[in-house]
Amino acid sequence: SILMLGLPYGKKIIDLENIVSLEKKIVGSVGSGSKNFKDALELAPLLNLENFNKSVFSFIDWKSAWEEHKSARSLKVKLNLS
């Protein structure tokens, strides 16, 4: 399964043969109903989400977080509000 978080902006080339032949399922979170969101939450523990937690900044350091976001070096930039 492929979990889509957000919208893939811009034109993307997608290999449909790979998706169909390997019977992959694409689950999205934007514009989906509660069943899709539940499915996405159930899939999340099965995924390697390590890259989603590499750029975590304290709230006080929001300017550095913003610069990291603009650089596009990180898959996800997070602010820790606690």
Side-chain angles (χ1 to χ4, degrees):
S1 294
I2 301 169
L3 174 60
M4 298 289 291
L5 300 171
L7 296 172
Y9 294 103
K11 292 184 178 183
K12 305 290 183 209
I13 297 173
I14 299 173
D15 181 0
L16 293 178
E17 181 180 357
N18 179 275
I19 294 170
V20 174
S21 65
L22 297 175
E23 297 184 9
K24 293 179 180 178
K25 177 180 176 184
I26 299 175
V27 179
S29 63
V30 175
S32 301
S34 61
K35 169 82 171 89
N36 300 113
F37 189 72
K38 183 179 176 230
D39 290 345
L41 289 176
E42 289 175 2
L43 285 172
L46 305 174
L47 303 174
N48 178 358
L49 300 175
E50 182 179 313
N51 289 325
F52 281 88
N53 295 313
K54 287 189 174 181
S55 295
V56 181
F57 295 82
S58 65
F59 184 71
I60 195 85
D61 200 19
W62 67 269
K63 287 182 183 177
S64 296
W66 182 248
E67 291 303 317
E68 182 68 17
H69 164 72
K70 291 193 310 184
S71 76
R73 289 186 300 253
S74 295
L75 177 64
K76 188 67 86 173
V77 177
K78 297 180 182 182
L79 287 176
N80 185 344
L81 302 178
S82 57

